[in-house]
Amino acid sequence: MVSRGTGTYDFMSKAGQENFPVALRMLPVHYRNHLAAVYGFARFVDDLGDEGEPGDRLRLLDDVETDLDRLYGGSGPRLPVVRALTRTVESCAVPAEPFRRLLEANRRDQTVTRYDTFDDLLGYCELSANPVGHIVLHVFASADPPRLAWSDRVCSALQILEHCQDVGEDHARGRIYLPAQDLRRFGCAEADLSSRTTPGRLRRVVALQTVRAAEMLREGRPLVASLSGYARPAVAGYVAGGLATVAALDRAGHDVLGRAVRPRRGRLLAAWLRILTTWR
C-alpha cells in the first residue's frame, strides 16, 4: 500500500504483503512484474488522494488521468508509475476503465467522508476496490462477465474488512466508512470512533460488517473454482487473506481501536490450502 492510504489501495497492499505471500512468490516473474506495476499505480494514486496537499489533490489526480490518456492513446506516458504499466496494458489487454475508476475513488475521497447505508458503501467499493479484481483477472487472461461479478464480491469484502481493521485511523483522517445507518442502529456516537478501546456498541457495528464481508467472500467461491493455472492459487490467496482477517476480527472480539488486528500467518496459510483443496 510510503504512508498508509485510506481508500483505494490499502486492502490491496495487505493482499500483496500479508494475504498470500506464498502464492505471490510461486508466480512466474512476468506475473509478479505485472502485478507489481498495477500495485504501484494504485498505491501512487491512493497516496496522492491522501497525502498530497489538499488544494492540489484533484489536480494531481487529473494529471495522472491525462497520462493514462497518453498511454492508451499510443504516446509515451510521462509519469514513471504510468509508464511502468505499458507492458502490462499491452500484453494483457487491460482496458483503461478500471484504472479510471481507481482515480475516481480518490476524487470521491476528497468530498465524501461519510456513507449512510451499506449499499452506499458498496457503491464506493465499485470504484475503490472492484477495479483491482478486474485488472488482476485481465493479467491472468481470465476476465469474463461471471468471473468479474464474483470478483466484485471478493474485492468489496476485502475493502470492507480493511475499513473494519482501520476504524480509528480512518476517523483520524476525517473519514468514516462504517455505515451511518448501522452506527445509529447500535447507538454509536462519532466520539466512539476515537476511544482508546472499542465500546461494545461499536464492536457490534464492526461485527455486522464482518459478517457481511464473510458472506461476500463465500459468494466468491465460484470464482476460485472456475480458475486454473497460476490464477487459481493467486486469487485463492486473496480470498484466504480475507477469511483469515474475518477470523482475526472475531478472535479479537471486534476490538479494533488502539490495536492492530491482523491475521496470523499460520491461519492464513491454512485457509489458503483449504480453499485450494476444497473449493472445486
Side-chain angles (χ1 to χ4, degrees), residues 167-168 171 176 178 182-184 186-206 255-258:
V167 168
H171 183 256
I176 299 175
L178 298 176
D182 296 331
L183 292 169
R184 292 192 298 267
F186 289 100
C188 290
E190 185 166 326
D192 290 337
L193 280 68
S194 58
S195 299
R196 289 186 177 272
T197 59
T198 313
R201 54 188 174 269
L202 180 57
R203 293 191 192 202
R204 289 190 284 275
V205 175
V206 174
D255 179 10
V256 295
L257 297 180

Side-chain angles (χ1 to χ4, degrees), residues 150-172:
W150 293 322
S151 172
D152 286 349
R153 302 302 284 172
V154 170
C155 289
S156 289
L158 292 174
Q159 180 79 83
I160 290 161
L161 289 170
E162 187 257 329
H163 292 323
C164 289
Q165 292 172 293
D166 296 325
V167 168
E169 241 178 300
D170 290 338
H171 183 256

Side-chain angles (χ1 to χ4, degrees), residues 68 72 94-101:
L68 274 178
Y72 282 91
V94 183
E97 186 262 347
F99 294 110
R100 297 191 193 284
R101 281 199 284 156

Side-chain angles (χ1 to χ4, degrees), residues 43-64:
R43 187 59 205 256
F44 179 75
V45 169
D46 205 38
D47 285 340
L48 288 182
D50 284 325
E51 306 298 338
E53 290 296 325
D56 292 338
R57 292 175 186 177
L58 290 174
R59 177 185 59 78
L60 293 170
L61 292 169
D62 287 345
D63 288 345
V64 177

Side-chain angles (χ1 to χ4, degrees), residues 61-243:
L61 292 169
D62 287 345
D63 288 345
V64 177
E65 184 148 33
T66 298
D67 222 33
L68 274 178
D69 291 339
R70 294 189 186 99
L71 173 60
Y72 282 91
S75 58
R78 298 174 183 173
L79 296 170
V81 73
V82 178
R83 194 160 56 245
L85 290 173
T86 303
R87 182 173 297 177
T88 300
V89 166
E90 292 176 351
S91 63
C92 302
V94 183
E97 186 262 347
F99 294 110
R100 297 191 193 284
R101 281 199 284 156
L102 294 178
L103 286 164
E104 187 57 34
N106 282 274
R107 291 191 183 100
R108 180 174 295 189
D109 275 336
Q110 308 315 308
T111 57
V112 180
T113 59
R114 306 289 190 275
Y115 292 87
D116 191 55
T117 68
F118 187 69
D119 283 344
D120 292 338
L121 183 59
L122 288 179
Y124 173 71
C125 292
E126 283 287 333
L127 299 174
S128 68
N130 298 357
V132 173
H134 291 207
I135 296 168
V136 168
L137 287 175
H138 278 285
V139 165
F140 288 105
S142 300
D144 60 29
R147 286 176 177 142
L148 292 172
W150 293 322
S151 172
D152 286 349
R153 302 302 284 172
V154 170
C155 289
S156 289
L158 292 174
Q159 180 79 83
I160 290 161
L161 289 170
E162 187 257 329
H163 292 323
C164 289
Q165 292 172 293
D166 296 325
V167 168
E169 241 178 300
D170 290 338
H171 183 256
R173 290 174 176 268
R175 296 173 185 161
I176 299 175
Y177 293 102
L178 298 176
Q181 188 177 77
D182 296 331
L183 292 169
R184 292 192 298 267
R185 172 184 169 187
F186 289 100
C188 290
E190 185 166 326
D192 290 337
L193 280 68
S194 58
S195 299
R196 289 186 177 272
T197 59
T198 313
R201 54 188 174 269
L202 180 57
R203 293 191 192 202
R204 289 190 284 275
V205 175
V206 174
L208 175 58
Q209 314 315 315
T210 304
V211 168
R212 287 167 168 166
E215 178 58 29
M216 293 166 68
L217 287 170
R218 285 189 286 269
E219 291 169 1
R221 181 169 186 155
L223 172 61
V224 177
S226 76
L227 295 170
S228 60
Y230 288 105
R232 180 176 167 82
V235 173
Y238 284 109
V239 178
L243 292 175

